[in-house]
Amino acid sequence: MGLVGVDIGPARARDQFLRGESVHETVRSPIFNSWQRSLSLGLSPEGCELPYRPDLDLEGRLVRAAEPVLDRLQEMFADRSMNVSLADGRGAVLERRFGNPSQVRRLAAIQSVPGYVFAEEFGGTNGIGLALAERQLVNVYGAEHFAERSQSNACSAIPVRDPLSGRIEGILCFGYPPSDVDAALNTVIRRAADAIERRLLEQSSTRERTLLRAYLDARHHTPTGNGQPGELAESGLDWRDQMVLKEKATDLIALAQRAAVEVPLPSGRQATLLSRPVTGASGVAGLAIEAVLSTRHQHIAVPTTTDTPPGTPAQPDPGPAAPRLRRDPGTAPGPATAPDRDPGPAGPTTAHTTSGLVLVGEPGVGKYAVAARRRLELLSEASTRIGTTLDVGRTAQELAEMAVPRLADFVTIDLPAAVLRGEEPTDPRADLHRTVLHGYREDCPFYPAGEPLDLRPTTPQLRCLASGQPVLEPDLRTAAGWIAQDPGHARHLLDHNVHSLIAVPLIARGIALGVASFYRSRDPAPFGDDDRSLAQELATRAAICIDNARRYTREHSMVLALQRSLLPRSFPEQNAIEVAYRYLPSESGVGGDWFDVIPLSSSRVALVVGDVVGHGLHAAATMGRLRTAARNFAELDLAPDEVLTSLDNLVARLDRDEDGEGPAGSTAIIGATCLYAVYDPTSQQCVMARAGHPPPALVHPDGTVTFADLPAGPPLGLGGLPFETAELHLPEGSQLILYTDGLVEDRHRDLDTALGQLRRALAHPNRPPEDTCQDILRTVAPHHPTDDIALLVARTHALDAHRIATWELTTDPALVSGIRAAVTRQLAAWGLEEVSFAAELLLSELVTNAIRYGTAPIQVRLLYDRTLTCEVSDASSTAPHLRRAATTDEGGRGLFLVAQLAQAWGTRYTANGKAIWAECTLDMPGTRPGAVATSFLDDIPAL
């Protein structure tokens, strides 16, 4: 059943392959290669989801040609479990026929309904996809299928080609039970495909069909031929090589004589074009152009005289001047000349050569038909090759690449600076920049790309922008407006044989976006009206793509500006950590990644990194809302798990408020991940929690790298699920690395590989956070990120123990005076006498409240950092509240006094109760610390 070995079955071989074991020697090469491609595409046997295309051409030429053949096959396989399908050149099923009609009710939709795409990139190894990839008849049996659902079937599939071009138009496929495998089915499917191809040929022009049939008959009677025209793509020629061959073939048809021309190809290979006279049965005379390619790059020898194939008119002996072989120097074909040396015996069909039909046509009438077809092919390719990205510069480059060399030898594209920025130009004739310069050679002295242009109104470029219509200059030697722009530069171009020009405005939605200029130099014939029409068609299609790219650039810039305005530009000064950060937007669009550093009470600091699902304006706006909310919740001194719970509730409310509807009716459910950590420099403890976010990396002072064992927690927005915290001890000099998943998730590498790269990049002790950020982005970040990357690196510092003072108290009110005295002595030891008065009052009020309303044990703590923090904690969870006391009230003014004396104050709940803190500023600009006590007395005259 298709395996090379005899002691292993398809199912076992496939299982071994999926486990990573070697099965190359036991599986047919096409199947093995297809399995490998399927894995590289990220497919899994259980998850091969096929796309459905409702917009199929069910009345096209392929379906019309195949309809009678499919009817005949259905009759042939009546009452058999046979599924006959016809797919187009992309693998989308157009028609299905069943031998036994009851099969329709037993099969899944993807096996019974037209419209599903079976290309290998979606369905893995299957008949249709493999026939497209291998371009020949294939058989796939049972477990050779990649998808689990297809492994109970067998199938045979064969390409259906256009007999004129050799291009694959579709795939004919038979599906049947493995028990019905029969070698005769290959014969049946070949005949059926031939019948469809003959009907396709009948739809071609009568004269071309007559010439092609004469050519095929001649090759059929030639011993060295195989009776079928080859396909150029199968010889390894890309589209540029094939384009050059078709150009030269058109010229040979116009010569109307037997010839052999050696053509250098852009890929570096050499090809020989042979023109063979053919005459159809109705008397139509023309030429068939074959390409002969050498796989070893040796020159192909063509005999001086060649026997006239049957079906062709007898040609007179050309005599000594008959062409054996001539080289094409890159100019239009002229009269054939003999080579300087004898080419030796003929050998166009040796084991080292391949051949294929390029064109069939008539001199005269055929010349114009071929030229028209060439223009249509160029426009058809332009529709798929221009606008592959949403980049203005790249789209303009694609227009130039399509035009050279089939329409022009050089192309320049000039766009206003506003268009390059994504804006709509107010005057396209102002501030033009040379955006693209492309040609068949690089040494032609046009104005270089990237430079601004100052063009005169008389130049063809500005004239076409002013009128909105193309401007044709057949002979640049007489183009006064073009020469007047820069006579020296114009003379230089004329010396390089640049002689004809078409300037076309790039207009989309009625707005001129720039100008494209097409120059001719190699072909001595000037541009004509047909060339102008073709250039205008190309420019019109490119202008729409450029406008789309411009609008995307503008929207992308707006979203990026919004996001950068919502991200922190700098962080408040604090001594707990040293911070470096980076943010990189993805190539596909701005997302919702954010980060923040938030100073908290008692010298602590919070670190937060988050990621909103999706890209674009909605994700950026949601990110701003969540970052603001996270700062607000942090200001409440909530624990990390409580902050995430509050954010989770907020995201759920946002979902309900937006009612699940986004732009254009699309689903806009908000999803986000977040990591929140709080570091305390007094204890060197870090408490953190995460909501579906990657765990942070920790670099110890000795360079050891670990990833925090932190409970994952659900992503924000699910609701109802708890978040758990973890507490880590971070010695001074440790580095905590927080990041979003865009840093380590990449479809081109495994997650474990990315984490290993991150571990190696971090394994450096005592390195500044800024250097760590640079090294991570250089060695770990994907080269072409598909998701945003937010990176935050924090190196920890500890608050010196000599700057911390702690006292334990009981609930005895008599201890208040003793605490005031102890605080005064401690402040004097720190050299902070200027704030001792305010600190004594603060602590007196806080300690008195703790003794009166709190619960033992009571602790008083002073922290000397950038500010002086006075902190009183007790075992009670009752929070004090600031209120306005009436004139008759005996109390209620203590916290008001605290609020007036302190820079900031608040309450923080702990595991054992609460802590009330107040901060006194230590910076007094414009005065010396010792002058504070007398500065406010200077305006009293009595003193």
Side-chain angles (χ1 to χ4, degrees), residues 625-648:
R625 300 165 79 175
L626 292 184
R627 177 176 174 249
T628 301
R631 291 191 68 92
N632 291 335
F633 295 142
E635 292 291 340
L636 297 176
D637 261 333
L638 299 177
D641 56 333
E642 295 176 348
V643 170
L644 293 183
T645 299
S646 300
L647 289 174
D648 183 49

Side-chain angles (χ1 to χ4, degrees), residues 676-715:
Y676 186 87
V678 175
Y679 172 68
D680 188 345
T682 64
S683 62
Q684 302 178 40
Q685 295 296 114
C686 182
V687 182
M688 62 184 73
R690 63 183 177 124
H693 202 82
L698 174 62
V699 183
H700 296 272
D702 61 356
T704 304
V705 180
T706 60
F707 291 92
D709 186 11
L710 182 61

Side-chain angles (χ1 to χ4, degrees), residues 52 96 104 106-116 118:
Y52 178 78
R96 283 194 181 274
V104 181
R106 298 197 303 267
L107 294 177
I110 62 171
Q111 295 175 310
S112 59
V113 178
Y116 287 94
F118 283 77

Side-chain angles (χ1 to χ4, degrees), residues 275-286:
S275 63
R276 300 179 182 272
V278 292
T279 300
S282 61
V284 178

Side-chain angles (χ1 to χ4, degrees), residues 422-438:
E423 303 170 4
E424 194 169 281
T426 55
D427 184 1
R429 295 170 293 181
D431 201 18
L432 281 174
H433 281 68
R434 175 61 46 83
T435 305
V436 172
L437 170 58
H438 182 68

Side-chain angles (χ1 to χ4, degrees), residues 725-775:
T725 62
E727 186 170 352
L728 303 175
H729 178 74
L730 304 183
E732 185 171 11
S734 301
Q735 286 195 12
L736 193 62
I737 294 85
L738 284 67
Y739 54 90
T740 55
D741 55 7
L743 178 66
V744 295
E745 290 187 1
D746 183 14
R747 63 174 177 267
H748 300 297
R749 64 178 176 182
D750 185 73
L751 178 60
D752 292 337
T753 302
L755 293 177
Q757 293 174 344
L758 179 59
R759 185 186 298 272
R760 289 189 294 272
L762 295 175
H764 298 278
N766 300 322
R767 186 169 58 177
E770 193 68 29
D771 294 347
T772 301
C773 273
Q774 293 180 2
D775 198 24

